[in-house]
Amino acid sequence: MLCGMAKNEVKIRDKMITSRRLIAAVGSLLAREGFKGVGVNAVAREAGVDKKLIYRYFGGLPGLIGAFGKEGDFWPSLLELAGGDLQAFGRMPLEDRLSAFSRNFIAALRRRPLTVAIMAWEVVEANELTRELEAVREERIMDFFRMFFVSELPDEDRQAGIMIVGAGVNYLLIRSGHIDIYGGIGLVTDDDWDRIAAGIDRLIEGLIG
Amino acid sequence: MLCGMAKNEVKIRDKMITSRRLIAAVGSLLAREGFKGVGVNAVAREAGVDKKLIYRYFGGLPGLIGAFGKEGDFWPSLLELAGGDLQAFGRMPLEDRLSAFSRNFIAALRRRPLTVAIMAWEVVEANELTRELEAVREERIMDFFRMFFVSELPDEDRQAGIMIVGAGVNYLLIRSGHIDIYGGIGLVTDDDWDRIAAGIDRLIEGLIG
DNA sequence: ACAACATATCACCACTCGGTGACAAAAATC
DNA sequence: GATTTTTGTCACCGAGTGGTGATATGTTGT
């Protein structure tokens, strides 16, 4: 018997490829199992690689998570939040702008289940990934508001009102992973989220008008 | 040497007392460590009792958690949400009523850190305790709305708007356990929460007027 | 006093967790 | 072709998890 490898191909050895497999494993595990499933052993198993390499290449799980955080497009860009056209967005009346923003925001996050999973993680604990996301979000959101809203919305109470609505949307998005209905509001279908957006429209309408 | 018990008192054996110690241990552990600290071993250690008794008396941790859930005053009553006087509350103008409700709601939950801890737990997983709380809440909130608001607020969008604001408050309360500031809003002092309530007032004002 | 029973403790199981040192195999270098 | 370096695997550690059977001890009834 020359060699027992009947069906196993020759295993190539490449640090880059292996690193990427590990990073990708964090993502798929996070999407499939939620943050509870993201551990050293599970990630290594998912990547089909020995866990030792997590320590060799990333110094540990936090390092790997940090690397994952820097790779991904977790938070929508200004452009996406503005609906694809910053100039046109800037020319809209304030009320329409806020309404469009809320719809874009919801759509952007519904398109990013990983981001929602990380947001759920934030609620529970702080780690490389949540800090990363938190920093980017704080920066983007604040930029966005400075750019498009603050000058026309100097009232502190109204600014707080908008943040509260944003917090509500975050909450509903996070919980939509585990429940189908909250306080009589559906959290599943596109229509459900249209109704939520309509509710937000009413809130904005009142806040501005 | 007759008996080695120098400082240990005679250990009395009482099923009721031990059960209560276990239930109380769930509470203090939940308050001190958060839901992550609530495990069979930790609860038994906290109660100063063998973990076997959790299985004998409650059939396991879920049973114990369920018992804990039924013991506590986790969710504010209608009376508390109405500010102590249902009649007077019912006679207020709608806008004042909603404003008072939001302030009472915030105060009631800030007074119940355990409830907030359970709400954080809800985000992560479903168990006896979260299901219990969820059921009570859904029932109370819906009752409250049917009783005081629905007849004057038939608009579905406006109802959704109020729920979104409530969701936002939940989110801010939960996150106040780990962070001090969110989107520029402080989450620590009484003044911080007054500002949040003021923001909600603006939202309500617009929603009704 | 003794037996019967309820109550509590203990030792132990199989398992998972994060983490590491020793070693094999492939690649790169000489 | 031989040697060194990189890449990967394996076996193992200590600590902690949920869970259980055997056993000791306090309580109660006769």
Side-chain angles (χ1 to χ4, degrees):
Chain A
M1 227 188 247
L2 292 165
C3 175
M5 291 202 176
K7 37 182 80 170
N8 259 341
E9 307 146 20
V10 185
K11 296 206 175 180
I12 60 161
R13 302 192 161 195
D14 186 313
K15 185 175 180 176
M16 273 302 132
I17 292 178
T18 307
S19 301
R20 281 203 212 100
R21 294 184 92 185
L22 281 168
I23 291 176
V26 172
S28 47
L29 218 46
L30 186 56
R32 179 152 35 87
E33 317 262 359
F35 57 86
K36 279 193 147 189
V38 180
V40 180
N41 297 287
V43 170
R45 202 182 313 124
E46 176 81 13
V49 149
D50 196 275
K51 61 178 170 180
K52 180 72 186 262
L53 302 181
I54 295 176
Y55 297 94
R56 230 210 284 292
Y57 294 156
F58 301 97
L61 192 57
L64 173 55
I65 288 176
F68 172 71
K70 284 181 187 102
E71 296 282 317
D73 164 41
F74 293 118
W75 199 255
S77 64
L78 289 188
L79 195 65
E80 187 174 355
L81 290 174
D85 185 336
L86 286 166
Q87 273 80 13
F89 186 79
R91 279 192 298 270
M92 295 167 95
L94 179 58
E95 193 179 323
D96 296 358
R97 221 184 303 153
L98 277 166
S99 171
F101 170 70
S102 87
R103 288 188 143 83
N104 294 336
F105 182 77
I106 290 173
L109 289 192
R110 292 230 295 148
R111 218 177 285 132
R112 289 174 175 80
L114 273 183
T115 301
V116 176
I118 301 170
M119 280 166 46
W121 207 345
E122 283 180 346
V123 170
V124 175
E125 62 179 357
N127 60 46
E128 303 280 332
L129 187 47
T130 62
R131 267 189 289 270
E132 188 84 20
L133 181 73
E134 218 146 7
V136 177
R137 172 176 55 200
E138 199 74 13
E139 177 207 332
R140 292 270 172 84
I141 286 281
M142 286 311 200
D143 277 0
F144 201 81
F145 269 75
R146 260 191 296 275
M147 194 173 304
F148 289 114
F149 299 122
V150 164
S151 62
E152 303 165 68
L153 207 74
D155 183 348
E156 264 197 345
D157 288 351
R158 284 170 221 264
Q159 285 180 29
I162 290 181
M163 286 301 174
I164 291 163
V165 173
V169 173
N170 282 352
Y171 184 76
L172 295 178
L173 281 164
I174 291 171
R175 302 232 49 200
S176 71
H178 289 278
I179 62 176
D180 293 342
I181 193 168
Y182 174 83
I185 312 178
L187 302 176
V188 180
T189 67
D190 289 351
D191 284 351
D192 288 340
W193 287 97
D194 272 345
R195 282 202 47 211
I196 291 171
I200 295 174
D201 284 347
R202 280 270 179 273
L203 285 168
I204 292 170
E205 188 185 318
L207 203 61
I208 305 302
Chain B
M1 229 187 243
L2 292 165
C3 175
M5 292 203 175
K7 35 184 81 171
N8 260 341
E9 306 146 21
V10 185
K11 296 204 174 180
I12 60 163
R13 301 190 161 197
D14 185 311
K15 186 175 179 174
M16 274 303 133
I17 292 178
T18 307
S19 303
R20 281 202 213 101
R21 294 185 90 184
L22 280 169
I23 291 176
V26 172
S28 46
L29 217 46
L30 186 56
R32 177 150 37 86
E33 316 263 359
F35 58 86
K36 280 193 151 189
V38 181
V40 182
N41 297 289
V43 170
R45 201 181 316 123
E46 176 82 12
V49 149
D50 195 275
K51 61 178 170 179
K52 181 72 186 258
L53 303 181
I54 295 176
Y55 297 94
R56 228 210 284 294
Y57 295 154
F58 300 96
L61 192 59
L64 173 56
I65 288 176
F68 172 71
K70 283 180 187 102
E71 296 280 320
D73 163 41
F74 294 118
W75 199 256
S77 64
L78 290 188
L79 195 64
E80 187 174 355
L81 290 174
D85 185 336
L86 287 166
Q87 273 80 14
F89 187 78
R91 278 193 299 269
M92 294 167 96
L94 179 58
E95 191 179 323
D96 296 357
R97 220 184 303 154
L98 278 166
S99 170
F101 170 70
S102 87
R103 288 189 144 80
N104 294 337
F105 182 76
I106 289 173
L109 289 192
R110 290 230 296 148
R111 218 177 286 131
R112 288 174 174 80
L114 271 185
T115 302
V116 176
I118 301 170
M119 281 166 44
W121 206 346
E122 285 180 344
V123 170
V124 174
E125 63 179 356
N127 59 46
E128 303 281 331
L129 187 47
T130 61
R131 269 189 287 271
E132 187 85 19
L133 182 73
E134 219 146 5
V136 176
R137 173 177 52 201
E138 200 74 12
E139 177 207 331
R140 292 272 172 84
I141 287 279
M142 286 310 202
D143 276 0
F144 201 81
F145 269 76
R146 262 191 295 276
M147 194 175 303
F148 289 114
F149 299 122
V150 164
S151 62
E152 302 165 69
L153 206 73
D155 183 349
E156 266 196 343
D157 289 350
R158 282 170 222 266
Q159 286 179 29
I162 291 180
M163 286 301 173
I164 291 164
V165 173
V169 173
N170 282 352
Y171 184 76
L172 295 179
L173 281 164
I174 292 171
R175 300 229 52 196
S176 71
H178 289 279
I179 61 175
D180 293 342
I181 194 169
Y182 175 83
I185 312 178
L187 303 176
V188 180
T189 66
D190 289 351
D191 284 351
D192 289 340
W193 288 96
D194 271 345
R195 281 203 48 209
I196 292 171
I200 295 174
D201 284 346
R202 280 271 180 271
L203 285 168
I204 292 171
E205 187 184 318
L207 202 63
I208 306 301

